Amino acid sequence: MAFWRRNTYIEEERHVKANAQDYNDKFSYADNHIKTSKYNIFTFLPINLFEQFQRVANAYFLVLLILQLIPAISSLSWFTTIVPLVLVLVITAVKDATDDYFRHKSDQQVNNRQSQVLIKGSLQNEKWMNVRVGDIIKLENNQFVAADILLLSSSEPYGLCYIETAELDGETNLKVRQALTVTSDLGDITKLTDFDGEVICEPPNNKLDKFTGTLYWRDNKFPLDNDKMLLRGCVLRNTEWCFGMVVFAGLQTKLMQNCGRTTFKRTSIDKLMNTLVLWIFAFLICMGVVLAIGNVIWESWIGRNFQVYLPWDEFLSSAVFSGFLTFWSYIIILNTVVPISLYVSVEVLRLGHSYFINWDRKMYFSQKDTPAEARTTTLNEELGQVEFIFSDKTGTLTQNIMVFNKCSINGKTYGDVYDEFDQKVEITERTACVDFSFNPLCDRRFKFYDGSLVEAIKLEDPSVQEFFRLLALCHTVMPEEKSEGDLVYQAQSPDEGALVTAARNFGFVFRARTPETITLCEMGQAVTYQLLAILDFNNVRKRMSVIVRNPQGQIKLYSKGADTIIFDRLDPSSEDLMYTTSEHLNEFAGEGLRTLALAYKDLDADYFDVWMKKLLFASTVIENREDQLAALYEEIEQGLTLLGATAIEDKLQEGVPETIACLSLADIKIWVLTGDKLETAMNIGYSCNMLRDDMNEVFVISGQTLLEVQQQLRSAKEQILGLSRVSSAGDVEKTDMSADDSVFEETIIAEYALIINGHSLAHALEPQLERVLLDLACLCKTVICCRVTPLQKAQVVELVKRHKRAVTLAIGDGANDVSMIKSAHIGVGISGQEGMQAVLASDYSFAQFRYLQRLLLVHGRWSYFRMCNFLCYFFYKNFAFTLVHFWFGFFCGFSAQTVYDQWFITLFNIVYTSLPVLAMGLFDQDVNDQNSLRYPSLYKPGQQNLLFNKRQFFLCALQGMGTSFLLFFIPYGAFSLIVKEDGSHFSDQQAFAVTVATSLVIVVSLQIGLDTHYWTAVNHFFIWGSLAMYFTILFAMQSDGIFGIFPSNFPFIGTARNCLTEKSVWLVILLTTVVCVMPGLAVCFLRADLFPTLTDKVRHLQQDRKRQGPQEQNLRRVRRTSSRRSAYAFSHQQGYGELITSGKNMRITTVSSAPSSGRVPHSSTWIDNMLKRKSEVACISNQSTGAAESSSSRTIQTPKKKHTD
């Protein structure tokens, strides 16, 4: 946004009046136009140039260009600097403009979406960008919400509507919003046109789950909360239409407030290069000062005696002034220590590495025709240095698809498939599915593989029937029958949808409901149950129950929930079945399935009547209503009879556990930041193998106040370190034992996990606690943050960036991940189910989380390795090339005379040595991609920044200085002794220059050949071709013909021919080459032989296996083996029971019946081991129940058990 349009007015309270645009315009509220791009036509040039000149090198070359324009000190032509500098600026500007063009295109696509706006008494189509605060807009089913709007009315009864908030919090389950009663009948245009209510509410903010306001209308005021609002980014679902009034628009909507700013990202190598350029510039000044002092001394002692032959220029007044001019002349001559071509080459390499990512077929997802895409070209080498990955859960790690996988009924398990030898068979795509054709109302997409369960249903096994009857009755799902038999379930929890769909396929079809009844189609027969009460779910109860009266007049309570909760409320008669079911639950949990226990109870009518009166009284009291209701629920949910358990698979994306395991071996820490509930996040943590039973401790931080969170964090940290290092006052005690935490990170062998919810995280991110949080998190192997807002995700990333010198990567697939993606050093978007916002804000994108492994361990490691080798070699060759002038200065009277001719200086970096180093930087690889994945530890040098750092630069510079010294003094010494074949001396400077230049080109070409690990035809062509090009150009420029055409530009006529035809010159070149190359070669050989790195060892193995051909990596599938079980309905929210019994969301549906048939059942195997006693289960139950409200530090201790394969 242009700076001159920014409004400095701080809004404290928002006033919005419906259908009163003139009134609303007085407040200058933001329009609905959004902007995620960085530039516009007017700001592109100044901002982009400012960003580019943040590179010290660009500013350095600009200063050199200005110096070269001064004739008195310039010994090189100005065009040798300005052309490459402009080329670099233009290439970078075009790349940045292209990136921003796609952002503009995305913005235009969103801004030009159509919305129906009520204007002058009629609905008119308007672009989103033209929607303004106070407008009344109409939304239709499956449409995105254009702005933050107050819901006025809808097509549903009582002004209800259903929305999907995947763009905001990653959850695809439906949520309910309800309009105020007074506005719910504003369904026609006339009433809406006359609506003149005024909303006074909070100013724009980023709190997605909170809204406070008041509607003033018809001399009354009505309170507004978040349940009355539809936020931008939501999608209207299962609602034909709704009307709403725009309260916040554009950049002031809660979604855009959470998006964060687009920042200019630079790699750590870029930042290091800035420092190195300053170092080199200081070194350059030192050399200039030394040579300038030498010039002053020489002119004072020797030069003044030869002024007859070497007269001073007219403006030279003294030797000191001559030294001053010489200083600037040498600065210009020696500037090639950092040539501008370095930056051109770096951009070319990054572009090439980006194309390699785009072209990688192993990162192409054929099902959606989605290739990997490098959306930026500036961050490739940083992919090889990542230490922290921040990942979303829903849609990133999981597919957000729930599948009914297995169950245990009356002590028998169903869901496994066995062969004729009674051996368990792994289920694949080729495994035959159960035939549900007997049930015309079945869901054709549902798959189950164990036919014995269908046979049990057909044989009318009472336990099996009661099991599925419970699943069909005990839920808050709403049915929608679009046509006869075409059922669609509106489930606000995907778990519930999976369970009700399973019951539907096994013959217990949930068809319709009213506030008082539930209608099922049981094996083809319509049965209506009277719904007497719903005992709703909440986080403390971890269960849900319904009380119904069946057609026979029996009153039954059906309950489902976390097994630890249900088992604690069972009748003693179910104890044996509980032990057996507990074993089955262990088996299910060990496979990463989400489990629930099911139980029922027959109720006496008289007892129920008395209990119901108590319930009606408790529901009307004002004080302690929740506590009284909870006590009544607890009273009636005792003495339950166990039916069995269900096992639902929350499908992970393919390869997620293997990818996480592999990245962990590379010392990459993965933190999961999700908007889901704690139970869901923990369950996925176990499924992904991030949480395991053999971990020493899992810390759960759930404090409600700053003091509680502080206490929990410090207690957990002390427990890990085993030291009381933190005082009660909050300061670290400075004792002899208080070593740096980073040391402890390296030495702690035990494994810990940290789980923190969003409310506690808000306190933990306060300045006084953030460092404690970070220290604790870094001591843990796994960190999971749940119920976090998009802004909190970004704050966690910023916390790590601020205090840890580590490269961060954020990966997500929804708009709720955009701020995190923008904040991290590297942002990765997954093109999933939740739109393209994350992809558009990302630096890299692909379709599956598993491709992250290849992006980092192969492309990232190779890019870092290639860039580091490229830089080391580039600095080496340029120090070797440039410092020859320094040594020559001592023999030319410090006169700023160059050794080489000007054309060699111009072409050395552009033609003679540019292509070989580019080939190495593009194609070199120390080990192949299979071994890069097979040995993740190869990634660690990048994290530790070992391949290119200040030490490596110093060694390269030292090697370059040594080479320049040898390049100058070996020919210099030889030329003072040798003679030509005709007996004459090599006395001319031109022959010396050719000899040194030829030696230099051969030495650097041999050196790059020795530094290359992976030879391709391109490498051979470029290295040997560059040598051939050098000799071709050398002889051409020093030929008689070109001298005849341009005598003043090519004065070295015949030098190459005369010099290089002498055998002694070639002997000098050979001697120089051997002496320059051999020390480096000996050091490399001895280092690899005596102190081999992991890379050396893997390369040796790779060479040994070369004859066997390439071997694909064969990672064993990582299976979770855990005894921990999940709790009920992880995305479920409290309050749906009351909504259903109120009848506000009911529709009238018709019920039809279907025929039934029967088959013979098949027996299933039992697990031999006995599990926990009931008292142990109850203990864990109490611990789990109290965790949410505990004020002290809580930990989840998972029992250790030995696993056998």
Side-chain angles (χ1 to χ4, degrees):
M1 186 181 294
F3 63 87
W4 58 82
R5 295 174 63 183
R6 287 182 182 161
N7 191 356
T8 56
Y9 168 70
I10 299 175
E11 188 177 344
E12 296 181 355
E13 191 176 64
R14 173 152 294 207
H15 294 251
V16 181
K17 199 167 185 179
N19 297 312
Q21 201 60 60
D22 293 338
Y23 174 81
N24 296 325
D25 285 344
K26 294 189 300 183
F27 300 99
S28 301
Y29 295 139
D31 57 24
N32 208 36
H33 177 272
I34 66 159
K35 177 176 176 288
T36 60
S37 54
K38 290 198 293 185
Y39 315 111
N40 59 39
I41 295 176
F42 303 105
T43 62
F44 173 73
L45 197 59
I47 292 178
N48 189 260
L49 285 176
F50 172 75
E51 288 177 346
Q52 290 204 57
F53 280 110
Q54 281 185 318
R55 279 184 176 172
V56 177
N58 286 344
Y60 164 70
F61 290 121
L62 183 63
V63 171
L64 284 175
L65 174 62
I66 295 169
L67 292 177
Q68 282 182 297
L69 295 175
I70 303 173
I73 61 174
S74 178
S75 51
L76 293 173
S77 301
W78 59 269
F79 63 82
T80 58
T81 299
I82 194 170
V83 174
L85 177 61
V86 170
L87 188 64
V88 169
L89 295 177
V90 168
I91 289 174
T92 309
V94 168
K95 178 178 64 63
D96 291 341
T98 304
D99 291 344
D100 209 55
Y101 167 75
F102 287 109
R103 295 192 193 98
H104 273 286
K105 199 173 179 181
S106 166
D107 291 344
Q108 288 177 3
Q109 183 183 358
V110 173
N111 289 328
N112 291 330
R113 285 179 181 170
Q114 294 294 310
S115 183
Q116 298 181 68
V117 183
L118 184 62
I119 301 175
K120 297 180 180 178
S122 64
L123 285 174
Q124 299 180 18
N125 282 331
E126 277 285 353
K127 295 178 179 178
W128 275 24
M129 61 191 293
N130 296 328
V131 172
R132 301 165 77 182
V133 171
D135 284 348
I136 292 177
I137 63 176
K138 180 182 181 181
L139 295 173
E140 295 181 345
N141 195 30
N142 296 325
Q143 275 191 347
F144 277 95
V145 180
D148 291 354
I149 65 174
L150 170 66
L151 179 63
L152 297 177
S153 61
S154 76
S155 58
E156 302 300 294
Y158 302 97
L160 290 171
C161 75
Y162 299 92
I163 58 169
E164 182 184 284
T165 59
E167 293 283 4
L168 299 177
D169 56 18
E171 295 182 4
T172 54
N173 50 287
L174 299 183
K175 295 180 174 61
V176 174
R177 295 291 183 265
Q178 184 176 9
L180 288 167
T181 306
V182 293
T183 65
S184 59
D185 62 343
L186 298 178
D188 61 72
I189 303 301
T190 306
K191 291 181 180 179
L192 287 165
T193 305
D194 295 335
F195 176 66
D196 60 351
E198 182 179 5
V199 172
I200 299 178
C201 65
E202 62 189 15
N205 59 71
N206 54 36
K207 296 177 181 176
L208 294 171
D209 57 349
K210 183 175 176 291
F211 178 81
T212 306
T214 307
L215 172 65
Y216 293 85
W217 189 40
R218 294 177 178 172
D219 299 325
N220 288 313
K221 59 181 183 178
F222 308 93
L224 302 176
D225 56 24
N226 206 46
D227 289 336
K228 310 290 187 296
M229 297 293 294
L230 306 184
L231 302 184
R232 181 186 180 119
C234 297
V235 183
L236 192 67
R237 298 289 192 202
N238 300 321
T239 307
E240 190 176 340
W241 53 261
C242 73
F243 284 96
M245 181 179 83
V246 177
V247 178
F248 301 117
L251 296 175
Q252 292 181 338
T253 59
K254 290 181 182 287
L255 174 67
M256 297 307 294
Q257 291 277 307
N258 274 286
C259 276
R261 296 181 59 190
T262 301
T263 56
F264 177 59
K265 294 184 177 181
R266 290 187 299 161
T267 67
S268 55
I269 284 185
D270 272 338
K271 296 171 184 174
L272 176 60
M273 289 280 290
N274 277 353
T275 304
L276 296 183
V277 167
L278 291 175
W279 282 16
I280 292 171
F281 190 64
F283 177 62
L284 195 59
I285 290 174
C286 290
M287 288 195 295
V289 168
V290 169
L291 294 169
I293 292 172
N295 179 263
V296 171
I297 295 171
W298 192 90
E299 290 288 352
S300 301
W301 293 0
I302 302 172
R304 65 174 63 255
N305 301 325
F306 291 89
Q307 286 193 19
V308 176
Y309 307 101
L310 298 172
W312 284 358
D313 292 324
E314 295 178 4
F315 52 81
L316 280 178
S317 57
S318 67
V320 174
F321 188 60
S322 171
F324 173 77
L325 295 179
T326 302
F327 169 80
W328 293 110
S329 296
Y330 271 114
I331 292 293
I332 294 172
I333 290 173
L334 299 174
N335 83 82
T336 50
V337 179
V338 184
I340 192 71
S341 61
L342 170 64
Y343 288 89
V344 179
S345 302
V346 165
E347 294 300 328
V348 171
L349 291 186
R350 287 173 171 166
L351 184 65
H353 296 163
S354 299
Y355 275 110
F356 291 154
I357 293 171
N358 297 346
W359 293 338
D360 191 344
R361 292 187 177 183
K362 293 181 181 178
M363 294 172 67
Y364 169 73
F365 191 55
S366 57
Q367 294 179 22
K368 292 186 179 179
D369 189 28
T370 306
E373 182 183 5
R375 299 173 55 81
T376 182
T377 59
T378 58
L379 303 173
N380 295 319
E381 65 269 17
E382 199 123 275
L383 288 171
Q385 299 179 276
V386 173
E387 286 189 57
F388 288 87
I389 292 177
F390 302 93
S391 174
D392 180 37
K393 181 194 75 68
T394 306
T396 304
L397 300 178
T398 66
Q399 300 179 34
N400 206 28
I401 299 172
M402 303 292 176
V403 178
F404 181 84
N405 193 290
K406 294 180 182 180
C407 62
S408 169
I409 305 174
N410 198 25
K412 293 184 179 181
T413 59
Y414 299 92
D416 289 320
V417 179
Y418 296 86
D419 59 16
E420 62 270 19
F421 304 107
D422 208 30
Q423 296 294 316
K424 189 184 293 187
V425 178
E426 186 176 355
I427 294 173
T428 65
E429 293 180 358
R430 297 182 180 180
T431 307
C433 297
V434 170
D435 182 12
F436 290 106
S437 59
F438 71 92
N439 179 7
L441 293 176
C442 70
D443 186 340
R444 305 292 177 190
R445 296 166 296 180
F446 180 82
K447 292 183 179 181
F448 199 75
Y449 300 93
D450 186 359
S452 62
L453 187 54
V454 175
E455 301 300 333
I457 281 283
K458 292 179 179 178
L459 288 174
E460 299 183 358
D461 184 318
S463 300
V464 176
Q465 289 193 333
E466 196 73 354
F467 181 90
F468 285 110
R469 186 177 290 116
L470 185 153
L471 292 182
L473 290 170
C474 185
H475 55 77
T476 58
V477 173
M478 296 298 298
E480 183 179 359
E481 194 159 2
K482 297 182 178 178
S483 60
E484 183 64 27
D486 183 15
L487 275 170
V488 176
Y489 291 142
Q490 300 173 10
Q492 71 109 359
S493 160
D495 306 67
E496 288 215 312
L499 293 174
V500 176
T501 300
R504 168 185 175 180
N505 277 267
F506 285 102
F508 286 75
V509 185
F510 171 54
R511 293 297 299 274
R513 85 183 317 149
T514 70
E516 297 85 21
T517 64
I518 296 177
T519 301
L520 305 185
C521 181
E522 297 183 357
M523 301 305 293
Q525 302 298 319
V527 182
T528 300
Y529 294 82
Q530 185 181 354
L531 180 61
L532 302 176
I534 294 180
L535 283 57
D536 205 1
F537 166 88
N538 66 34
N539 287 327
V540 178
R541 284 168 43 77
K542 297 185 185 296
R543 64 191 183 276
M544 173 195 176
S545 302
V546 295
I547 302 174
V548 298
R549 178 181 280 118
N550 63 20
Q552 291 76 36
Q554 298 171 321
I555 300 175
K556 291 202 170 191
L557 179 144
Y558 292 107
S559 185
K560 67 179 181 183
D563 50 72
T564 53
I565 301 295
I566 298 295
F567 286 177
D568 201 32
R569 289 157 179 79
L570 293 179
D571 188 79
S573 61
S574 295
E575 188 166 349
D576 291 338
L577 179 58
M578 182 190 74
Y579 290 146
T580 306
T581 305
S582 187
E583 294 172 8
H584 297 163
L585 284 166
N586 273 349
E587 181 186 1
F588 299 156
E591 297 175 15
L593 304 177
R594 299 164 70 154
T595 57
L596 293 174
L598 312 184
Y600 75 98
K601 178 182 180 181
D602 292 313
L603 296 177
D604 178 72
D606 295 335
Y607 167 75
F608 175 73
D609 289 340
V610 174
W611 181 86
M612 197 65 186
K613 290 176 183 177
K614 294 180 183 177
L615 182 69
L616 291 173
F617 173 78
S619 61
T620 57
V621 300
I622 297 175
E623 292 185 3
N624 299 322
R625 180 188 300 176
E626 296 296 328
D627 295 338
Q628 292 190 39
L629 288 175
L632 284 171
Y633 293 168
E634 185 73 24
E635 175 191 327
I636 202 168
E637 291 174 326
Q638 296 292 331
L640 302 177
T641 301
L642 183 63
L643 275 173
T646 62
I648 295 174
E649 181 182 6
D650 185 1
K651 278 187 170 293
L652 292 173
Q653 286 196 10
E654 183 184 347
V656 166
E658 293 87 346
T659 300
I660 289 175
C662 190
L663 294 176
S664 297
L665 291 173
D667 268 4
I668 298 175
K669 298 178 178 65
I670 301 176
W671 294 13
V672 176
L673 311 178
T674 176
D676 280 348
K677 293 170 63 177
L678 182 140
E679 283 289 352
T680 318
M682 288 184 67
N683 223 35
I684 294 302
Y686 278 101
S687 298
C688 296
N689 237 35
M690 294 177 68
L691 298 175
R692 298 192 312 277
D693 278 346
D694 57 0
M695 281 186 161
N696 294 67
E697 203 107 25
V698 178
F699 299 101
V700 177
I701 309 298
S702 55
Q704 298 296 311
T705 66
L706 182 70
L707 193 60
E708 291 175 3
V709 173
Q710 182 183 34
Q711 184 181 353
Q712 292 178 7
L713 289 173
R714 294 184 182 278
S715 174
K717 185 177 177 182
E718 288 173 10
Q719 188 171 340
I720 292 177
L721 298 179
L723 300 170
S724 298
R725 297 169 52 212
V726 184
S727 67
S728 58
D731 295 323
V732 178
E733 297 177 359
K734 295 185 178 180
T735 65
D736 294 336
M737 299 185 69
S738 60
D740 186 69
D741 283 337
S742 62
V743 178
F744 281 97
E745 288 177 38
E746 300 296 328
T747 57
I748 286 175
I749 301 173
E751 291 187 355
Y752 300 90
L754 173 68
I755 301 171
I756 184 168
N757 63 36
H759 189 83
S760 302
L761 184 63
H763 294 303
L765 289 172
E766 293 290 331
Q768 63 266 40
L769 279 186
E770 63 176 18
R771 196 59 197 259
V772 181
L773 170 67
L774 183 61
D775 291 343
L776 174 61
C778 290
L779 293 171
C780 295
K781 187 173 181 64
T782 297
V783 178
I784 298 176
C785 303
C786 52
R787 280 295 181 213
V788 293
T789 65
L791 190 65
Q792 282 180 321
K793 291 184 177 184
Q795 288 173 334
V796 172
V797 175
E798 290 289 350
L799 175 65
V800 174
K801 284 176 62 179
R802 193 163 57 247
H803 295 293
K804 291 283 181 182
R805 298 181 63 182
V807 177
T808 60
L809 181 147
I811 179 169
D813 71 325
N816 58 318
D817 304 312
V818 168
S819 56
M820 172 177 74
I821 286 171
K822 287 182 176 180
S823 296
H825 292 101
I826 302 167
V828 177
I830 291 185
S831 50
Q833 305 293 329
E834 302 179 17
M836 295 293 287
Q837 280 80 359
V839 170
L840 293 172
S842 67
D843 304 305
Y844 301 88
S845 67
F846 40 70
Q848 295 274 289
F849 180 84
R850 58 193 163 101
Y851 297 145
L852 183 62
Q853 178 181 348
R854 187 168 179 84
L855 181 70
L856 298 184
L857 301 189
V858 178
H859 290 286
R861 204 183 72 81
W862 277 352
S863 294
Y864 175 71
F865 168 77
R866 290 164 176 168
M867 185 62 72
C868 292
N869 278 9
F870 164 83
L871 291 172
C872 286
Y873 174 77
F874 214 101
F875 282 119
Y876 156 74
K877 78 179 180 69
N878 280 285
F879 268 82
F881 162 61
T882 306
L883 293 190
V884 171
H885 295 298
F886 178 78
W887 310 120
F888 184 58
F890 291 91
F891 297 90
C892 68
F894 305 97
S895 60
Q897 168 67 43
T898 59
V899 178
Y900 321 108
D901 73 292
Q902 185 167 309
W903 285 105
F904 180 82
I905 295 173
T906 305
L907 296 177
F908 178 76
N909 281 305
I910 298 176
V911 177
Y912 300 152
T913 60
S914 60
L915 293 180
V917 72
L918 278 179
M920 182 180 74
L922 284 172
F923 303 113
D924 200 22
Q925 50 182 260
D926 50 353
V927 298
N928 59 30
D929 56 341
Q930 289 94 346
N931 283 324
S932 294
L933 294 170
R934 187 178 288 117
Y935 303 101
S937 294
L938 291 171
Y939 190 81
K940 294 178 184 178
Q943 296 170 325
Q944 298 163 12
N945 211 18
L946 296 180
L947 300 188
F948 186 73
N949 49 39
K950 292 172 183 175
R951 178 177 177 274
Q952 289 297 321
F953 166 76
F954 178 75
L955 292 176
C956 294
L958 202 60
Q959 185 185 3
M961 289 181 200
T963 301
S964 70
F965 184 86
L966 295 172
L967 281 170
F968 178 80
F969 282 102
I970 291 176
Y972 183 82
F975 270 46
S976 64
L977 299 174
I978 64 173
V979 294
K980 295 182 182 179
E981 292 182 1
D982 60 3
S984 60
H985 283 278
F986 285 100
S987 56
D988 60 304
Q989 188 259 341
Q990 294 180 344
F992 176 76
V994 169
T995 305
V996 173
T998 305
S999 301
L1000 171 66
V1001 172
I1002 293 174
V1003 165
V1004 296
S1005 297
L1006 277 179
Q1007 189 63 51
I1008 199 170
L1010 295 172
D1011 289 344
T1012 300
H1013 302 83
Y1014 181 73
W1015 283 86
T1016 65
V1018 176
N1019 293 82
H1020 282 290
F1021 178 75
F1022 281 176
I1023 290 176
W1024 314 126
S1026 294
L1027 273 175
M1029 180 67 70
Y1030 163 72
F1031 286 108
T1032 303
I1033 294 175
L1034 176 66
F1035 281 100
M1037 287 196 303
Q1038 299 187 5
S1039 65
D1040 299 345
I1042 201 165
F1043 175 76
I1045 302 171
F1046 306 104
S1048 60
N1049 292 326
F1050 299 96
F1052 278 41
I1053 178 173
T1055 303
R1057 185 172 62 248
N1058 294 333
C1059 177
L1060 297 179
T1061 53
E1062 295 290 332
K1063 296 176 184 177
S1064 55
V1065 171
W1066 282 107
L1067 287 172
V1068 170
I1069 293 172
L1070 178 62
L1071 176 64
T1072 306
T1073 303
V1074 170
V1075 173
C1076 287
V1077 170
M1078 284 306 294
L1081 186 61
V1083 169
C1084 289
F1085 175 79
L1086 291 173
R1087 185 193 301 150
D1089 198 48
L1090 300 178
F1091 309 103
T1093 62
L1094 179 62
T1095 305
D1096 296 326
K1097 296 173 184 177
V1098 173
R1099 192 186 306 123
H1100 182 69
L1101 285 173
Q1102 180 176 301
Q1103 291 168 352
D1104 289 344
R1105 294 173 181 168
K1106 201 169 185 180
R1107 293 183 180 179
Q1108 303 173 15
Q1111 298 177 354
E1112 289 295 327
Q1113 184 185 21
N1114 185 21
L1115 281 178
R1116 182 173 63 85
R1117 177 174 171 79
V1118 178
R1119 283 197 168 272
R1120 171 188 156 200
T1121 53
S1122 167
S1123 61
R1124 180 189 179 278
R1125 301 181 205 129
S1126 59
Y1128 163 64
F1130 309 102
S1131 301
H1132 208 293
Q1133 292 179 337
Q1134 186 176 359
Y1136 263 63
E1138 183 181 347
L1139 185 64
I1140 288 170
T1141 53
S1142 69
K1144 292 181 177 180
N1145 60 343
M1146 299 301 171
R1147 291 177 176 172
I1148 299 174
T1149 58
T1150 58
V1151 181
S1152 61
S1153 60
S1156 63
S1157 60
R1159 289 186 189 173
V1160 181
H1162 185 274
S1163 63
S1164 180
T1165 58
W1166 290 25
I1167 301 175
D1168 295 324
N1169 300 328
M1170 293 297 290
L1171 205 73
K1172 309 170 191 171
R1173 300 178 60 114
K1174 185 174 179 179
S1175 60
E1176 292 174 341
V1177 173
C1179 178
I1180 295 176
S1181 167
N1182 293 333
Q1183 182 184 359
S1184 301
T1185 305
E1189 295 184 353
S1190 172
S1191 62
S1192 62
S1193 177
R1194 295 285 188 192
T1195 61
I1196 295 178
Q1197 295 189 350
T1198 50
K1200 299 180 184 178
K1201 52 182 270 190
K1202 294 181 180 179
H1203 302 285
T1204 56
D1205 295 331

